[in-house]
PDB file of all heavy atoms in Angstrom:
ATOM      1  N   PHE A  24     148.333   7.123  48.394  1.00  0.00           N
ATOM      2  CA  PHE A  24     148.399   6.774  49.752  1.00  0.00           C
ATOM      3  C   PHE A  24     148.677   5.399  50.069  1.00  0.00           C
ATOM      4  O   PHE A  24     148.209   4.584  49.209  1.00  0.00           O
ATOM      5  CB  PHE A  24     147.030   7.130  50.515  1.00  0.00           C
ATOM      6  CG  PHE A  24     146.829   8.624  50.585  1.00  0.00           C
ATOM      7  CD1 PHE A  24     146.201   9.270  49.475  1.00  0.00           C
ATOM      8  CD2 PHE A  24     147.093   9.316  51.793  1.00  0.00           C
ATOM      9  CE1 PHE A  24     145.865  10.659  49.665  1.00  0.00           C
ATOM     10  CE2 PHE A  24     146.783  10.718  51.873  1.00  0.00           C
ATOM     11  CZ  PHE A  24     146.227  11.359  50.759  1.00  0.00           C
ATOM     12  N   GLU A  25     149.555   5.088  50.878  1.00  0.00           N
ATOM     13  CA  GLU A  25     149.916   3.649  51.309  1.00  0.00           C
ATOM     14  C   GLU A  25     149.829   3.575  52.725  1.00  0.00           C
ATOM     15  O   GLU A  25     150.396   4.200  53.507  1.00  0.00           O
ATOM     16  CB  GLU A  25     151.475   3.458  50.844  1.00  0.00           C
ATOM     17  CG  GLU A  25     151.874   2.109  51.005  1.00  0.00           C
ATOM     18  CD  GLU A  25     153.314   1.943  50.438  1.00  0.00           C
ATOM     19  OE1 GLU A  25     153.501   2.184  49.198  1.00  0.00           O
ATOM     20  OE2 GLU A  25     154.100   1.277  51.204  1.00  0.00           O
ATOM     21  N   PHE A  26     148.972   2.588  53.115  1.00  0.00           N
ATOM     22  CA  PHE A  26     148.600   2.411  54.543  1.00  0.00           C
ATOM     23  C   PHE A  26     149.069   1.012  54.954  1.00  0.00           C
ATOM     24  O   PHE A  26     148.674   0.033  54.194  1.00  0.00           O
ATOM     25  CB  PHE A  26     147.113   2.589  54.876  1.00  0.00           C
ATOM     26  CG  PHE A  26     146.675   3.906  54.526  1.00  0.00           C
ATOM     27  CD1 PHE A  26     145.572   4.291  53.680  1.00  0.00           C
ATOM     28  CD2 PHE A  26     147.196   5.151  55.263  1.00  0.00           C
ATOM     29  CE1 PHE A  26     145.229   5.444  53.475  1.00  0.00           C
ATOM     30  CE2 PHE A  26     146.882   6.336  54.921  1.00  0.00           C
ATOM     31  CZ  PHE A  26     145.802   6.473  54.057  1.00  0.00           C
ATOM     32  N   THR A  27     149.660   0.820  56.132  1.00  0.00           N
ATOM     33  CA  THR A  27     149.901  -0.545  56.672  1.00  0.00           C
ATOM     34  C   THR A  27     149.338  -0.738  58.004  1.00  0.00           C
ATOM     35  O   THR A  27     149.400  -1.830  58.515  1.00  0.00           O
ATOM     36  CB  THR A  27     151.483  -0.757  56.661  1.00  0.00           C
ATOM     37  OG1 THR A  27     152.048   0.343  57.560  1.00  0.00           O
ATOM     38  CG2 THR A  27     152.087  -0.753  55.351  1.00  0.00           C
ATOM     39  N   GLU A  28     148.722   0.310  58.572  1.00  0.00           N
ATOM     40  CA  GLU A  28     148.206   0.189  60.013  1.00  0.00           C
ATOM     41  C   GLU A  28     146.777  -0.540  59.907  1.00  0.00           C
ATOM     42  O   GLU A  28     146.227  -0.627  58.813  1.00  0.00           O
ATOM     43  CB  GLU A  28     148.102   1.477  60.649  1.00  0.00           C
ATOM     44  CG  GLU A  28     147.202   2.573  59.963  1.00  0.00           C
ATOM     45  CD  GLU A  28     148.103   3.530  59.064  1.00  0.00           C
ATOM     46  OE1 GLU A  28     149.018   3.151  58.543  1.00  0.00           O
ATOM     47  OE2 GLU A  28     147.563   4.706  59.020  1.00  0.00           O
ATOM     48  N   SER A  29     146.393  -0.886  61.061  1.00  0.00           N
ATOM     49  CA  SER A  29     145.034  -1.611  61.204  1.00  0.00           C
ATOM     50  C   SER A  29     144.020  -0.666  60.755  1.00  0.00           C
ATOM     51  O   SER A  29     144.020   0.554  60.922  1.00  0.00           O
ATOM     52  CB  SER A  29     144.949  -1.988  62.658  1.00  0.00           C
ATOM     53  OG  SER A  29     143.629  -2.535  62.889  1.00  0.00           O
ATOM     54  N   ALA A  30     142.938  -1.273  60.320  1.00  0.00           N
ATOM     55  CA  ALA A  30     141.795  -0.464  59.830  1.00  0.00           C
ATOM     56  C   ALA A  30     140.549  -0.852  60.658  1.00  0.00           C
ATOM     57  O   ALA A  30     139.366  -0.760  60.155  1.00  0.00           O
ATOM     58  CB  ALA A  30     141.458  -0.734  58.376  1.00  0.00           C
ATOM     59  N   SER A  31     140.532  -1.048  61.897  1.00  0.00           N
ATOM     60  CA  SER A  31     139.578  -1.337  62.791  1.00  0.00           C
ATOM     61  C   SER A  31     139.174  -0.138  63.558  1.00  0.00           C
ATOM     62  O   SER A  31     139.880   0.745  63.840  1.00  0.00           O
ATOM     63  CB  SER A  31     139.706  -2.479  63.716  1.00  0.00           C
ATOM     64  OG  SER A  31     140.752  -2.179  64.566  1.00  0.00           O
ATOM     65  N   GLY A  32     137.884   0.044  63.976  1.00  0.00           N
ATOM     66  CA  GLY A  32     137.549   1.086  64.863  1.00  0.00           C
ATOM     67  C   GLY A  32     136.577   2.136  64.032  1.00  0.00           C
ATOM     68  O   GLY A  32     136.017   1.711  63.024  1.00  0.00           O
ATOM     69  N   GLU A  33     136.521   3.266  64.750  1.00  0.00           N
ATOM     70  CA  GLU A  33     135.581   4.326  64.187  1.00  0.00           C
ATOM     71  C   GLU A  33     136.112   4.927  62.980  1.00  0.00           C
ATOM     72  O   GLU A  33     137.331   4.882  62.679  1.00  0.00           O
ATOM     73  CB  GLU A  33     135.377   5.321  65.318  1.00  0.00           C
ATOM     74  CG  GLU A  33     134.797   4.908  66.644  1.00  0.00           C
ATOM     75  CD  GLU A  33     133.416   4.443  66.401  1.00  0.00           C
ATOM     76  OE1 GLU A  33     132.635   4.977  65.582  1.00  0.00           O
ATOM     77  OE2 GLU A  33     133.120   3.369  66.977  1.00  0.00           O
ATOM     78  N   LEU A  34     135.274   5.540  62.124  1.00  0.00           N
ATOM     79  CA  LEU A  34     135.547   6.164  60.852  1.00  0.00           C
ATOM     80  C   LEU A  34     136.765   7.190  61.044  1.00  0.00           C
ATOM     81  O   LEU A  34     137.700   7.199  60.279  1.00  0.00           O
ATOM     82  CB  LEU A  34     134.414   6.733  60.163  1.00  0.00           C
ATOM     83  CG  LEU A  34     134.625   7.555  58.883  1.00  0.00           C
ATOM     84  CD1 LEU A  34     135.237   6.573  57.863  1.00  0.00           C
ATOM     85  CD2 LEU A  34     133.365   8.186  58.362  1.00  0.00           C
ATOM     86  N   GLU A  35     136.614   8.109  62.030  1.00  0.00           N
ATOM     87  CA  GLU A  35     137.637   9.080  62.286  1.00  0.00           C
ATOM     88  C   GLU A  35     138.971   8.435  62.490  1.00  0.00           C
ATOM     89  O   GLU A  35     140.086   9.129  62.251  1.00  0.00           O
ATOM     90  CB  GLU A  35     137.186  10.017  63.463  1.00  0.00           C
ATOM     91  CG  GLU A  35     136.069  10.644  63.254  1.00  0.00           C
ATOM     92  CD  GLU A  35     134.818   9.659  63.816  1.00  0.00           C
ATOM     93  OE1 GLU A  35     134.870   8.993  64.841  1.00  0.00           O
ATOM     94  OE2 GLU A  35     133.781   9.636  63.090  1.00  0.00           O
ATOM     95  N   LEU A  36     139.092   7.217  62.950  1.00  0.00           N
ATOM     96  CA  LEU A  36     140.336   6.540  63.209  1.00  0.00           C
ATOM     97  C   LEU A  36     140.788   5.652  62.081  1.00  0.00           C
ATOM     98  O   LEU A  36     141.991   5.127  62.105  1.00  0.00           O
ATOM     99  CB  LEU A  36     140.211   5.774  64.518  1.00  0.00           C
ATOM    100  CG  LEU A  36     139.690   6.485  65.791  1.00  0.00           C
ATOM    101  CD1 LEU A  36     139.519   5.537  66.984  1.00  0.00           C
ATOM    102  CD2 LEU A  36     140.793   7.626  66.130  1.00  0.00           C
ATOM    103  N   GLN A  37     139.985   5.544  61.090  1.00  0.00           N
ATOM    104  CA  GLN A  37     140.385   4.713  59.962  1.00  0.00           C
ATOM    105  C   GLN A  37     141.598   5.391  59.105  1.00  0.00           C
ATOM    106  O   GLN A  37     141.589   6.502  58.929  1.00  0.00           O
ATOM    107  CB  GLN A  37     139.183   4.561  59.037  1.00  0.00           C
ATOM    108  CG  GLN A  37     138.000   3.844  59.507  1.00  0.00           C
ATOM    109  CD  GLN A  37     138.310   2.312  59.789  1.00  0.00           C
ATOM    110  OE1 GLN A  37     138.707   1.663  58.823  1.00  0.00           O
ATOM    111  NE2 GLN A  37     137.949   1.785  60.879  1.00  0.00           N
ATOM    112  N   PRO A  38     142.519   4.550  58.727  1.00  0.00           N
ATOM    113  CA  PRO A  38     143.541   5.126  57.977  1.00  0.00           C
ATOM    114  C   PRO A  38     143.082   5.802  56.771  1.00  0.00           C
ATOM    115  O   PRO A  38     143.570   6.905  56.376  1.00  0.00           O
ATOM    116  CB  PRO A  38     144.537   3.967  57.502  1.00  0.00           C
ATOM    117  CG  PRO A  38     144.172   3.005  58.585  1.00  0.00           C
ATOM    118  CD  PRO A  38     142.747   3.078  58.968  1.00  0.00           C
ATOM    119  N   ILE A  39     141.959   5.284  56.112  1.00  0.00           N
ATOM    120  CA  ILE A  39     141.450   5.973  54.852  1.00  0.00           C
ATOM    121  C   ILE A  39     140.924   7.371  55.080  1.00  0.00           C
ATOM    122  O   ILE A  39     140.813   8.160  54.188  1.00  0.00           O
ATOM    123  CB  ILE A  39     140.279   5.083  54.413  1.00  0.00           C
ATOM    124  CG1 ILE A  39     139.977   5.342  52.976  1.00  0.00           C
ATOM    125  CG2 ILE A  39     139.051   5.034  55.108  1.00  0.00           C
ATOM    126  CD1 ILE A  39     141.055   5.024  51.819  1.00  0.00           C
ATOM    127  N   ALA A  40     140.571   7.719  56.359  1.00  0.00           N
ATOM    128  CA  ALA A  40     140.217   9.069  56.664  1.00  0.00           C
ATOM    129  C   ALA A  40     141.211  10.077  56.201  1.00  0.00           C
ATOM    130  O   ALA A  40     140.736  11.164  55.781  1.00  0.00           O
ATOM    131  CB  ALA A  40     139.891   9.179  58.108  1.00  0.00           C
ATOM    132  N   LYS A  41     142.378   9.749  56.238  1.00  0.00           N
ATOM    133  CA  LYS A  41     143.489  10.721  55.694  1.00  0.00           C
ATOM    134  C   LYS A  41     143.275  10.967  54.248  1.00  0.00           C
ATOM    135  O   LYS A  41     143.511  12.149  53.819  1.00  0.00           O
ATOM    136  CB  LYS A  41     144.867  10.157  55.977  1.00  0.00           C
ATOM    137  CG  LYS A  41     145.283  10.043  57.399  1.00  0.00           C
ATOM    138  CD  LYS A  41     146.531   9.322  57.531  1.00  0.00           C
ATOM    139  CE  LYS A  41     146.709   8.898  59.057  1.00  0.00           C
ATOM    140  NZ  LYS A  41     147.935   7.942  59.182  1.00  0.00           N
ATOM    141  N   ALA A  42     143.087   9.950  53.462  1.00  0.00           N
ATOM    142  CA  ALA A  42     142.840  10.142  52.080  1.00  0.00           C
ATOM    143  C   ALA A  42     141.509  10.965  51.813  1.00  0.00           C
ATOM    144  O   ALA A  42     141.484  11.800  50.956  1.00  0.00           O
ATOM    145  CB  ALA A  42     142.871   8.763  51.344  1.00  0.00           C
ATOM    146  N   ILE A  43     140.467  10.551  52.437  1.00  0.00           N
ATOM    147  CA  ILE A  43     139.144  11.255  52.354  1.00  0.00           C
ATOM    148  C   ILE A  43     139.276  12.748  52.657  1.00  0.00           C
ATOM    149  O   ILE A  43     138.994  13.696  51.948  1.00  0.00           O
ATOM    150  CB  ILE A  43     138.214  10.708  53.231  1.00  0.00           C
ATOM    151  CG1 ILE A  43     137.784   9.178  52.653  1.00  0.00           C
ATOM    152  CG2 ILE A  43     136.944  11.494  53.184  1.00  0.00           C
ATOM    153  CD1 ILE A  43     136.941   8.405  53.551  1.00  0.00           C
ATOM    154  N   ASP A  44     140.173  13.118  53.673  1.00  0.00           N
ATOM    155  CA  ASP A  44     140.423  14.495  54.125  1.00  0.00           C
ATOM    156  C   ASP A  44     141.051  15.183  52.913  1.00  0.00           C
ATOM    157  O   ASP A  44     140.905  16.293  52.670  1.00  0.00           O
ATOM    158  CB  ASP A  44     141.113  14.589  55.380  1.00  0.00           C
ATOM    159  CG  ASP A  44     140.181  14.249  56.610  1.00  0.00           C
ATOM    160  OD1 ASP A  44     139.059  14.367  56.447  1.00  0.00           O
ATOM    161  OD2 ASP A  44     140.869  14.044  57.613  1.00  0.00           O
ATOM    162  N   TYR A  45     142.097  14.468  52.334  1.00  0.00           N
ATOM    163  CA  TYR A  45     142.856  15.141  51.209  1.00  0.00           C
ATOM    164  C   TYR A  45     141.820  15.417  50.125  1.00  0.00           C
ATOM    165  O   TYR A  45     141.956  16.532  49.441  1.00  0.00           O
ATOM    166  CB  TYR A  45     143.879  14.170  50.685  1.00  0.00           C
ATOM    167  CG  TYR A  45     144.753  14.650  49.574  1.00  0.00           C
ATOM    168  CD1 TYR A  45     145.979  15.354  49.992  1.00  0.00           C
ATOM    169  CD2 TYR A  45     144.500  14.412  48.291  1.00  0.00           C
ATOM    170  CE1 TYR A  45     146.766  15.932  48.993  1.00  0.00           C
ATOM    171  CE2 TYR A  45     145.251  15.031  47.231  1.00  0.00           C
ATOM    172  CZ  TYR A  45     146.352  15.659  47.554  1.00  0.00           C
ATOM    173  OH  TYR A  45     147.102  16.180  46.625  1.00  0.00           O
ATOM    174  N   CYS A  46     140.876  14.593  49.781  1.00  0.00           N
ATOM    175  CA  CYS A  46     139.919  14.814  48.739  1.00  0.00           C
ATOM    176  C   CYS A  46     139.104  16.031  48.999  1.00  0.00           C
ATOM    177  O   CYS A  46     138.696  16.718  48.162  1.00  0.00           O
ATOM    178  CB  CYS A  46     138.997  13.637  48.596  1.00  0.00           C
ATOM    179  SG  CYS A  46     139.770  12.145  47.918  1.00  0.00           S
ATOM    180  N   LYS A  47     138.748  16.231  50.244  1.00  0.00           N
ATOM    181  CA  LYS A  47     137.905  17.434  50.710  1.00  0.00           C
ATOM    182  C   LYS A  47     138.696  18.797  50.514  1.00  0.00           C
ATOM    183  O   LYS A  47     138.113  19.787  50.092  1.00  0.00           O
ATOM    184  CB  LYS A  47     137.538  17.272  52.127  1.00  0.00           C
ATOM    185  CG  LYS A  47     136.662  16.149  52.485  1.00  0.00           C
ATOM    186  CD  LYS A  47     136.314  16.295  53.889  1.00  0.00           C
ATOM    187  CE  LYS A  47     135.436  14.990  54.226  1.00  0.00           C
ATOM    188  NZ  LYS A  47     135.225  14.899  55.749  1.00  0.00           N
ATOM    189  N   ASP A  48     140.002  18.696  50.611  1.00  0.00           N
ATOM    190  CA  ASP A  48     140.849  19.911  50.575  1.00  0.00           C
ATOM    191  C   ASP A  48     141.306  20.272  49.136  1.00  0.00           C
ATOM    192  O   ASP A  48     141.855  21.305  48.909  1.00  0.00           O
ATOM    193  CB  ASP A  48     142.059  19.873  51.534  1.00  0.00           C
ATOM    194  CG  ASP A  48     141.629  19.817  52.885  1.00  0.00           C
ATOM    195  OD1 ASP A  48     140.487  20.322  53.200  1.00  0.00           O
ATOM    196  OD2 ASP A  48     142.355  19.348  53.748  1.00  0.00           O
ATOM    197  N   LYS A  49     141.254  19.323  48.199  1.00  0.00           N
ATOM    198  CA  LYS A  49     141.939  19.445  46.920  1.00  0.00           C
ATOM    199  C   LYS A  49     140.891  19.341  45.895  1.00  0.00           C
ATOM    200  O   LYS A  49     139.670  19.013  46.155  1.00  0.00           O
ATOM    201  CB  LYS A  49     142.883  18.336  46.733  1.00  0.00           C
ATOM    202  CG  LYS A  49     143.983  18.287  47.761  1.00  0.00           C
ATOM    203  CD  LYS A  49     144.856  19.526  47.774  1.00  0.00           C
ATOM    204  CE  LYS A  49     145.922  19.396  48.907  1.00  0.00           C
ATOM    205  NZ  LYS A  49     146.494  20.538  49.252  1.00  0.00           N
ATOM    206  N   ARG A  50     141.092  19.470  44.653  1.00  0.00           N
ATOM    207  CA  ARG A  50     140.178  19.341  43.408  1.00  0.00           C
ATOM    208  C   ARG A  50     140.320  17.879  43.036  1.00  0.00           C
ATOM    209  O   ARG A  50     140.702  17.729  41.834  1.00  0.00           O
ATOM    210  CB  ARG A  50     140.488  20.304  42.362  1.00  0.00           C
ATOM    211  CG  ARG A  50     140.466  21.660  42.922  1.00  0.00           C
ATOM    212  CD  ARG A  50     140.683  22.640  41.820  1.00  0.00           C
ATOM    213  NE  ARG A  50     139.418  23.153  41.398  1.00  0.00           N
ATOM    214  CZ  ARG A  50     139.212  24.039  40.572  1.00  0.00           C
ATOM    215  NH1 ARG A  50     140.218  24.603  39.959  1.00  0.00           N
ATOM    216  NH2 ARG A  50     137.956  24.554  40.132  1.00  0.00           N
ATOM    217  N   ILE A  51     139.805  16.898  43.799  1.00  0.00           N
ATOM    218  CA  ILE A  51     139.919  15.486  43.582  1.00  0.00           C
ATOM    219  C   ILE A  51     138.473  14.962  43.128  1.00  0.00           C
ATOM    220  O   ILE A  51     137.557  15.105  43.984  1.00  0.00           O
ATOM    221  CB  ILE A  51     140.527  14.679  44.648  1.00  0.00           C
ATOM    222  CG1 ILE A  51     141.834  15.265  45.025  1.00  0.00           C
ATOM    223  CG2 ILE A  51     140.508  13.147  44.408  1.00  0.00           C
ATOM    224  CD1 ILE A  51     142.990  15.167  43.939  1.00  0.00           C
ATOM    225  N   ARG A  52     138.388  14.416  42.093  1.00  0.00           N
ATOM    226  CA  ARG A  52     137.167  13.844  41.628  1.00  0.00           C
ATOM    227  C   ARG A  52     136.884  12.407  42.060  1.00  0.00           C
ATOM    228  O   ARG A  52     135.750  11.957  42.343  1.00  0.00           O
ATOM    229  CB  ARG A  52     137.038  13.939  40.154  1.00  0.00           C
ATOM    230  CG  ARG A  52     135.863  13.538  39.552  1.00  0.00           C
ATOM    231  CD  ARG A  52     134.818  14.531  39.409  1.00  0.00           C
ATOM    232  NE  ARG A  52     133.605  13.873  38.551  1.00  0.00           N
ATOM    233  CZ  ARG A  52     132.345  14.267  38.634  1.00  0.00           C
ATOM    234  NH1 ARG A  52     132.180  15.218  39.435  1.00  0.00           N
ATOM    235  NH2 ARG A  52     131.539  13.716  38.012  1.00  0.00           N
ATOM    236  N   TYR A  53     137.999  11.600  41.992  1.00  0.00           N
ATOM    237  CA  TYR A  53     137.813  10.115  42.329  1.00  0.00           C
ATOM    238  C   TYR A  53     138.822   9.562  43.324  1.00  0.00           C
ATOM    239  O   TYR A  53     139.982  10.176  43.415  1.00  0.00           O
ATOM    240  CB  TYR A  53     138.063   9.224  40.925  1.00  0.00           C
ATOM    241  CG  TYR A  53     137.013   9.633  40.006  1.00  0.00           C
ATOM    242  CD1 TYR A  53     137.413  10.326  38.795  1.00  0.00           C
ATOM    243  CD2 TYR A  53     135.613   9.161  40.014  1.00  0.00           C
ATOM    244  CE1 TYR A  53     136.491  10.694  37.817  1.00  0.00           C
ATOM    245  CE2 TYR A  53     134.761   9.587  39.120  1.00  0.00           C
ATOM    246  CZ  TYR A  53     135.201  10.284  37.930  1.00  0.00           C
ATOM    247  OH  TYR A  53     134.214  10.611  36.982  1.00  0.00           O
TER     248      TYR A  53
END
């Protein structure tokens, strides 16, 4: 994942939330 947008605000609005959601849907360990 490559993010360039701002990372301020609530967790649901964090760019990293996209990566975390991907981990939930796939067999990702780390």
Side-chain angles (χ1 to χ4, degrees):
F24 287 84
E25 187 174 307
F26 300 121
T27 56
E28 62 264 33
S29 173
S31 59
E33 298 299 319
L34 178 59
E35 305 80 46
L36 303 175
Q37 296 290 313
I39 194 68
K41 296 172 193 170
I43 292 170
D44 287 343
Y45 185 89
C46 290
K47 290 177 184 175
D48 294 337
K49 309 292 180 199
R50 299 181 104 172
I51 304 299
R52 175 91 175 159
Y53 301 106

